[in-house]
Amino acid sequence: MTFTAAPAGARRRALVEGLLAVALVVGQLSWAGWAPAPVQAAGTPNITLGKSTPPSVLYGSNTPVTLTVGNPAGPFGYNLGFRDVLPAGVSYVAGSTVPAGSGDPTAIPNQPAAGQTTLVWTNVADISQASTVTLGFSIRSAVEPAANALLPGASFTDTASAYVSTNPRIVPSFDATGQPVPASFTGSATASATTTVAAFSISKAEPSPEGKLMRGLHDHQTVYTLVVTNDSVKATNGFVVDDYIPAAMEFLGCGTVDNTSGGAVEYPGSGPINGHTSLPPAQCPTPSVVETLNIDPDGAGPLPAGIYTHVRWTGLGNLAAGATLT
C-alpha cells in the first residue's frame, strides 16, 4: 500500500504480521553494511576473519556469504585457504564463488558430523600487511518436502575458518575429513554467522533525494511505499501490516482526507491541510486502526520508545508463491 505523510528527520520501519510466525526482513534484502561476526585469531601472521550473511532470507532463496580476512600487523601471508562448515539442511550453490578464479570448493559430506558439509578452498590468495582478502559464495537451505527442510522461523549458523602460511612454499592443507593439517599453516582465524528463514519480507521506499525531507506539513508532503514480497515456495495468507510513525511526522492517509485530530487547521493561522497526493484506492487501502501510542515499536531494535502514530491495515488478502503486495 502507498500513503502520504508529512516529512521529518526521524525514520520509520514497518512491521508485517501473517499467519506464519516468522522473523521479518525489514527493508530490502541488501547485503552491504552488516557488521562481520566477532573474530578469533591465532598465529603468525595474526590474521582476522569477518563473516557476514543477511540476518534474514526468504524461504527457498539463496543466502550470500562474505568472508573477509585481514592482516593488520603482518608479516606477509601466503597461500590463504578457507574452510566453512554448513549445518544439516544447508548446501553450497554451485558456481557462486567470487572471485570466480577461486573456483568451487571441495565439498565433504557428513563432516565433521552427520548431515553437515565441510567446504574447503585452498591457495586462494596471498595477503600483505594492512590488506584484506574477500571470498564470497552462496548457500541455500533445503525446502519441503526434503526431510531436513528449514521452515520459516528456523535459523541456521555456519562457521568459517581461514588459514595462512609465512612460507610461500607451503600451502595450508586439509585432510580427507576437511580438518586443517596443523603443520601446514602458521596463522588462522574463525568466525560464525546466523541467518533466519522468513516466509516473506517487507521493504519501504520514499523518493526524496539523499533520504532528506523538508520540514513542513503543508508544503512538503511525500509518499511512502511498502512492498510485501512472499517467498517463492508456498502461499502465505492473512496479511496484516503495521506502521509506527514518529511524533515529528503526520499521517495524512489517502486522497484528500484530512486525518489530523485538530480540526480543519493544524494550528491557528496555518490554513487547511490539503493538496496531498490523491492515490488510487487499490494502492492505498483505508487503515483499520489509526491511534497514538507511547510505545517502543520494535522492542530491542534501534527505534527509541516514544510517542508514535500506529497505523494498521487488515484484510490485505493472500499472496501466492513469489507474489508481491504494494
Side-chain angles (χ1 to χ4, degrees), residues 1 39 52 81 114 173 192 194 198 248-249 252 260 274 289 294 297 303 316:
M1 68 288 309
V39 299
S52 63
S173 58
S192 298
T194 299
M249 301 185 74
L252 299 179
T260 61
N274 53 31
V289 174
N294 189 345
L303 293 181
L316 298 177

Side-chain angles (χ1 to χ4, degrees), residues 20 77 100 134 144 191 212 243 281 292 310 318:
L20 294 177
T134 298
E144 297 174 302
K212 297 178 180 178
D243 203 352
T292 301
H310 172 217
N318 309 326

Side-chain angles (χ1 to χ4, degrees), residues 217-218 258 260-273:
L217 176 61
H218 293 75
D258 188 344
T260 61
S261 60
V265 296
E266 181 72 3
Y267 54 87
S270 68
I273 302 170

Side-chain angles (χ1 to χ4, degrees), residues 133-153:
V133 171
T134 298
L135 182 77
F137 59 97
S138 293
I139 55 180
R140 189 180 183 92
S141 59
V143 300
E144 297 174 302
N148 57 357
L150 295 176
L151 301 181

Side-chain angles (χ1 to χ4, degrees), residues 171-184:
V171 177
S173 58
F174 305 85
D175 64 21
T177 67
Q179 294 291 341
V181 176
S184 69

